[in-house]
Amino acid sequence: MATVLMCRRFPRLSRVTAFSATAERGSRKSKKEKPDKPGAAKTGTESGATIQLLKPQDYRVLYNPAAYAKGRAGSQQHVDRDSSLGDTFTGPGTTQTFPTATSQALSPVRNALPKPRSSPLQAQTILATLYQEEAEKEKREMHDSKEDPRTFQKGRPEYRSLSCDSAEPAQTLSAEEGDLILQSVAECEGSPGILTDYFLKLSRLPAERRAALVSDPRFSALCHRAVTAIRLFSTPDLIHILKACVPLAVPASHPLLNECEAEFCRRAWDMGLEQLLLVADCWRCLDRSVPSYLGILFSYANLHWKELTLPQFVQLLYIIGEGRRSPADLAQKVERTILKHLDDFTLEELGAICLGLFKSVSGISGHVMRRIADRVSLQMEDMSTYALVNVLKMLRYTRMDHLPLMRELGKVIPARIPATNIQGIMHIALTYSSLHFFDEDVLAAVATSLPSKVSYCRSKDAAKFLWSFGCLDYEPPNEEEFYSSLIKQLHAKLHEFNKFPEHLLTALLGLAFVKRFPEELIDFALREEFIQKTRGSKYELHKDLFTLGKSVEIECPSYQGSLLSPQLCQEFTEVVSSFAEREIYVRPEIVEATSLLESMLGGPEYVKSHMILPHTRSSDLEVRLATDGHPIPFNFKDSVAAKKLKDMGVTLTDDLMSQLTQGRAHNWSPTEVGNEARIPGQERGNAAGTPCLGGAFTAGAKSQAEPKPGCWQPQEVRLALQVSNRNHFCYGSRRLLGLHCLKRRQLRLLGYVVVEIPFWEWFPLLKRSRSEKLSYLHYKVFCPELLTRA
């Protein structure tokens, strides 16, 4: 290894300040910028010199993208499918080279400064220190990135016959005895019993000897003998050979394993369920994908389901999860068996069951998940953090709002977070954001422990942390350290975004929610090359791009990087608008508010139900007022459409609208309708000291000239009424989620006055009289304080 002295500049970060209604527009760099060395705490320098240890060309940091890490023998790469996060979006993409402009991605040689002269002794001391630090870091990373998903097997002795124990052998074989065995292979007659004995003995060699065994020609000859005699082995002997291959670390693609798989598939229907599960566990330990064998195992288990013991059932679910396959015909049987043994499972077994269901993307009924959560909430203190996190994964997947479990979790988990590995912490934070559950103690504990562990974050982990905190609109006490460390990690993991572009968008949206805009990363995400990569994803990422791109345009006027093209914005707007017309505008609470406002203000030309900001994917009721309080007509397109319907013989009366939205009729006479639209509003307005608007509420009000689109008329106030629902807020609270905070912030930046019609006020009114609803809306639109402030 060698050392070089590096000088790095820091990525530009726009940090949007708090905005007033007059819309202070602009962006600034982050208050503090920290040295790029992980774990450093010094601040206030623009640039700095750091000593970086160069790694050999063939050195690679190993990491496992699975929800937790693989077991002792390895794990297949896996992308966490639970990334929907409400409106969030993940999925693998293709590879792309990132022509970065940041110095963090440049070769160390290009950034190298001339080395200062130093004595040989001093250089040796520095090198020794760096070697030691690097070794300790790698050791920590290997430890912190893994959890054993097979811990549940230690809870019952029955698992010994169902699983392959990959621990070190109790009695080791000396190297001399191993050499004698290998030398005798050439003279061996190939008897199945002798070959089996050879494999078992060699599997007891010391670890360093076993590592070199696979490349030994004599071992290859032994494997060839076994392949030749594969049909002559008894099933127990063949299982012994497969088990011996685990400590021998035989590669998954080895010819011996190819033949073993074919032979086990041929014999599967003549084997017992215990043997089938043991073989499946061996394949798992060898990190070999065997879909054909697993298909036979699942069919066999389906036919012999009543014979399954409790340990066999748990082991089967573990295998199902590790194989990432969920047999559809077993779903109902799995649920019934879980309920049957629910009180008998250990807590670790419950964690293993939830992990198996989660990894295999298995649906589970709300009833079964609630029963599991009921048990866990009562015994959480006795449960390992690993098993508990696995339950949280399934709770997140089923969107289960189990309040007792979440409350108990808030008491138990903060103290455990410092000792939890980074992926476990990520899943804890992600559970809170996915369920929209805000607990400041938990989030603060996560934020406090993260900076010291941030170097272990994959791109996925960093993205989910940023999304979780942004989704809940929470900036922790150590916000500068928290966000700067994660942004720095995003730069360090740029190579992972080439394969998983959705993680970059997730991260940047989470940052945008809390008004942070790292400009170099945004510039990369909005480039045409990256946009093309997202189009090839199996997930719909256009919503993310649209939200990010338009947010940058509104909140970062000084930004000079890439932006979405107008054509692309138009394409995304059409997609979002089409969805809104089908799913949003037709919601009863919005239809009712629109109808009542039209009646109150004088017709459809005074109200527009649409998305002022399509990239925020929620609707607004736009109303325009003169500064004297009179409504201004502007929605002539919808007014013409209403007139056409009337000419066709359909009269859009309040009675009809009420029937359509509530399913029952109100026997209002035309006179009563006019009075309802006028009198309550006048009484509320007079009591509040506002002028009586009289004819402004009647349908006969004269229409003014339609204002030009996008142009503000003199003395005009634009209101954006927000008819919210529970999904816009944190669970059981009045705390807006990050996306909706972003929307309101941007509406104010564009000059709109945001008027809240919150669900806890509006939904109960939907069941009340028309007069009460009109009175409520009148006060919201003509609120004296609102008009004065505007």
Side-chain angles (χ1 to χ4, degrees):
M1 292 188 179
T3 58
V4 295
L5 195 64
M6 295 182 62
C7 181
R8 292 185 173 181
R9 63 183 179 86
F10 294 88
R12 186 179 181 189
L13 174 69
S14 289
R15 177 71 165 92
V16 181
T17 58
F19 296 99
S20 66
T22 55
E24 175 189 355
R25 302 174 65 94
S27 61
R28 59 185 175 86
K29 293 186 179 180
S30 62
K31 301 174 185 176
K32 300 177 183 179
E33 293 184 356
K34 303 187 178 184
D36 203 309
K37 183 178 178 181
K42 296 180 181 180
T43 61
T45 56
E46 287 297 326
S47 63
T50 60
I51 296 177
Q52 175 170 324
L53 188 66
L54 295 182
K55 300 176 183 177
Q57 289 283 33
D58 59 347
Y59 176 80
R60 297 177 64 190
V61 177
L62 299 179
Y63 75 97
N64 180 2
Y68 269 82
K70 57 191 176 185
R72 186 177 180 84
S75 173
Q76 182 180 353
Q77 287 192 350
H78 169 62
V79 179
D80 178 10
R81 56 87 41 219
D82 184 305
S83 48
S84 58
L85 302 179
D87 285 334
T88 314
F89 347 87
T90 60
T94 54
T95 304
Q96 177 192 17
T97 303
F98 171 43
T100 178
T102 63
S103 59
Q104 288 157 314
L106 296 177
S107 166
V109 176
R110 294 178 59 187
N111 278 344
L113 295 176
K115 297 181 182 179
R117 293 184 180 180
S118 60
S119 65
L121 180 60
Q122 182 182 3
Q124 290 178 8
T125 303
I126 294 174
L127 278 175
T129 303
L130 290 173
Y131 274 117
Q132 184 178 359
E133 290 178 355
E134 186 74 6
E136 290 178 356
K137 179 180 178 182
E138 290 179 21
K139 183 178 180 181
R140 289 197 309 273
E141 181 164 336
M142 290 179 64
H143 171 73
D144 286 351
S145 65
K146 292 186 177 181
E147 288 282 358
D148 185 5
R150 304 159 67 83
T151 304
F152 73 94
Q153 295 173 348
K154 300 175 183 177
R156 298 180 192 270
E158 294 91 335
Y159 287 111
R160 293 173 187 169
S161 60
L162 301 174
S163 60
C164 178
D165 185 6
S166 56
E168 291 295 322
Q171 296 179 348
T172 58
L173 189 74
S174 66
E176 293 77 11
E177 291 178 285
D179 285 334
L180 288 176
I181 290 174
L182 292 172
Q183 289 172 7
S184 64
V185 170
E187 303 172 1
C188 174
E189 296 179 357
S191 145
I194 295 176
L195 292 175
T196 302
D197 187 57
Y198 283 174
F199 275 99
L200 290 175
K201 288 180 177 179
L202 290 174
S203 68
R204 293 191 286 111
L205 282 170
E208 62 274 10
R209 289 286 294 134
R210 295 200 306 268
L213 199 60
V214 176
S215 59
D216 193 317
R218 296 172 297 177
F219 181 73
S220 297
L222 176 63
C223 292
H224 180 71
R225 289 285 184 97
V227 168
T228 304
I230 195 79
R231 293 290 181 92
L232 302 178
F233 289 101
S234 66
T235 298
D237 283 346
L238 197 58
I239 292 175
H240 284 313
I241 290 177
L242 188 64
K243 287 182 67 175
C245 288
V246 175
L248 290 171
V250 176
S253 58
H254 197 281
L256 174 61
L257 298 185
N258 295 339
E259 293 299 321
C260 284
E261 180 186 352
E263 188 63 19
F264 277 121
C265 286
R266 191 180 67 83
R267 302 185 187 193
W269 290 102
D270 298 323
M271 296 164 61
L273 187 57
E274 188 174 277
Q275 290 178 319
L276 288 168
L277 289 170
L278 174 57
V279 171
D281 198 62
C282 290
W283 292 129
R284 175 62 193 146
C285 291
L286 288 164
D287 194 25
R288 181 180 172 93
S289 177
V290 286
S292 297
Y293 178 83
L294 291 181
I296 297 173
L297 167 62
F298 300 151
S299 297
Y300 188 101
N302 192 24
L303 291 176
H304 298 81
W305 193 263
K306 293 183 179 180
E307 303 169 19
L308 280 175
T309 63
L310 186 151
Q312 288 174 344
F313 170 74
V314 178
Q315 182 69 13
L316 177 64
L317 278 187
Y318 166 73
I319 295 298
I320 287 174
E322 297 305 306
R324 307 302 196 273
R325 289 187 57 193
S326 175
D329 53 353
L330 295 184
Q332 291 185 350
K333 292 181 178 179
V334 166
E335 290 200 3
R336 287 198 297 265
T337 306
I338 290 175
L339 293 176
K340 176 182 176 182
H341 296 295
L342 185 60
D343 295 331
D344 300 321
F345 292 126
T346 67
L347 294 172
E348 300 306 305
E349 286 173 333
L350 275 178
I353 289 170
C354 287
L355 183 61
L357 293 171
F358 178 79
K359 284 185 173 181
S360 60
V361 197
S362 301
I364 185 173
S365 68
H367 171 67
V368 175
M369 190 64 233
R370 190 168 293 279
R371 289 287 304 278
I372 294 174
D374 287 341
R375 165 128 191 247
V376 170
S377 63
L378 295 176
Q379 298 178 282
M380 191 178 293
E381 291 185 358
D382 302 324
M383 197 172 195
S384 73
T385 304
Y386 177 70
L388 178 56
V389 168
N390 291 337
V391 173
L392 295 182
K393 292 177 183 177
M394 203 59 198
L395 196 75
R396 190 173 83 225
Y397 179 68
T398 55
R399 311 293 295 178
M400 175 65 67
D401 55 342
H402 196 281
L403 195 57
L405 185 146
M406 297 303 292
R407 285 177 174 167
E408 188 65 22
L409 186 66
K411 300 175 185 177
V412 172
I413 207 65
R416 296 190 186 187
I417 284 176
T420 305
N421 70 15
I422 198 67
Q423 293 179 9
I425 298 174
M426 180 271 286
H427 281 292
I428 291 169
L430 189 57
T431 297
Y432 277 87
S433 66
S434 295
L435 300 179
H436 298 171
F437 201 94
F438 181 81
D439 189 314
E440 188 168 7
D441 291 339
V442 174
L443 296 175
V446 170
T448 301
S449 65
L450 186 76
S452 63
K453 301 181 179 184
V454 76
S455 60
Y456 307 130
C457 282
R458 305 161 296 171
S459 60
K460 170 183 175 178
D461 301 323
K464 297 296 175 65
F465 277 121
L466 291 170
W467 168 263
S468 298
F469 278 67
C471 176
L472 296 173
D473 190 39
Y474 177 67
E475 297 194 64
N478 63 331
E479 60 175 290
E480 292 302 328
E481 181 187 22
F482 175 80
Y483 282 110
S484 63
S485 65
L486 282 171
I487 292 172
K488 190 178 298 181
Q489 188 67 2
L490 294 181
H491 282 274
K493 296 294 182 180
L494 284 173
H495 61 284
E496 294 183 24
F497 295 132
N498 290 331
K499 188 174 183 181
F500 304 110
E502 67 281 357
H503 296 332
L504 179 58
L505 294 180
T506 297
L508 293 178
L509 282 178
L511 287 166
F513 292 161
V514 291
K515 300 179 286 187
R516 292 175 184 267
F517 297 89
E519 296 187 1
E520 292 183 2
L521 293 175
I522 291 172
D523 176 57
F524 170 59
L526 298 181
R527 292 179 187 174
E528 182 60 32
E529 302 91 329
F530 188 85
I531 293 173
Q532 290 302 321
K533 182 189 297 290
T534 63
R535 288 183 180 273
S537 172
K538 66 179 181 179
Y539 297 93
E540 293 184 2
L541 301 180
H542 62 267
K543 294 186 294 185
D544 308 27
L545 281 169
F546 192 28
T547 302
L548 177 64
K550 299 302 290 185
S551 295
V552 170
E553 289 183 24
I554 295 172
E555 300 202 46
C556 302
S558 62
Y559 170 75
Q560 299 296 319
S562 303
L563 291 172
L564 297 178
S565 67
Q567 296 81 3
L568 204 56
C569 289
Q570 180 61 31
E571 176 186 332
F572 292 161
T573 299
E574 290 173 358
V575 172
V576 173
S577 299
S578 176
F579 171 80
E581 289 174 0
R582 298 192 311 270
E583 303 291 338
I584 299 179
Y585 303 149
V586 295
R587 291 174 181 169
E589 66 271 19
I590 295 176
V591 171
E592 180 78 348
T594 305
S595 174
L596 290 169
L597 284 171
E598 290 176 354
S599 175
M600 183 177 75
L601 297 176
E605 63 267 26
Y606 291 92
V607 185
K608 186 171 185 179
S609 177
H610 68 132
M611 290 184 291
I612 298 173
L613 302 177
H615 63 278
T616 60
R617 304 190 295 279
S618 57
S619 69
D620 311 89
L621 293 177
E622 184 176 356
V623 173
R624 301 182 187 180
L625 301 176
T627 52
D628 62 359
H630 283 78
I632 300 174
F634 68 98
N635 184 28
F636 298 101
K637 181 178 179 181
D638 289 355
S639 178
V640 171
K643 187 176 184 300
K644 287 182 179 179
L645 285 175
K646 184 175 182 180
D647 293 340
M648 292 170 61
V650 179
T651 303
L652 293 180
T653 63
D654 294 318
D655 183 38
L656 176 58
M657 290 298 294
S658 179
Q659 292 182 55
L660 292 174
T661 57
Q662 298 183 7
R664 57 190 177 89
H666 296 287
N667 295 321
W668 299 94
S669 68
T671 305
E672 289 172 324
V673 171
N675 291 336
E676 278 290 336
R678 201 166 48 242
I679 296 173
Q682 291 174 352
E683 291 174 352
R684 177 68 65 90
N686 293 335
T690 56
C692 175
L693 300 181
F697 298 114
T698 65
K702 294 181 179 180
S703 299
Q704 300 178 15
E706 182 178 1
K708 295 181 180 179
C711 297
W712 294 94
Q713 300 302 307
Q715 308 299 314
E716 178 182 275
V717 179
R718 292 193 180 186
L719 307 183
L721 281 72
Q722 307 298 302
V723 183
S724 62
N725 60 57
R726 289 177 176 82
N727 290 334
H728 295 177
F729 297 85
C730 293
Y731 180 87
S733 76
R734 299 180 180 182
R735 182 188 184 92
L736 274 171
L737 294 172
L739 176 62
H740 302 285
C741 288
L742 172 141
K743 174 187 177 179
R744 284 152 178 76
R745 186 172 73 236
Q746 292 178 5
L747 283 171
R748 294 187 183 100
L749 272 173
L750 296 176
Y752 283 88
V753 176
V754 176
V755 179
E756 294 289 349
I757 303 181
F759 72 89
W760 59 84
E761 294 176 357
W762 183 238
F763 280 29
L765 277 173
L766 292 177
K767 301 177 182 178
R768 307 294 290 272
S769 69
R770 178 182 176 86
S771 174
E772 290 174 284
K773 288 181 282 190
L774 283 166
S775 179
Y776 173 82
L777 290 175
H778 180 275
Y779 179 75
K780 284 292 183 179
V781 173
F782 299 105
C783 174
E785 295 181 5
L786 184 147
L787 288 172
T788 302
R789 187 170 65 251

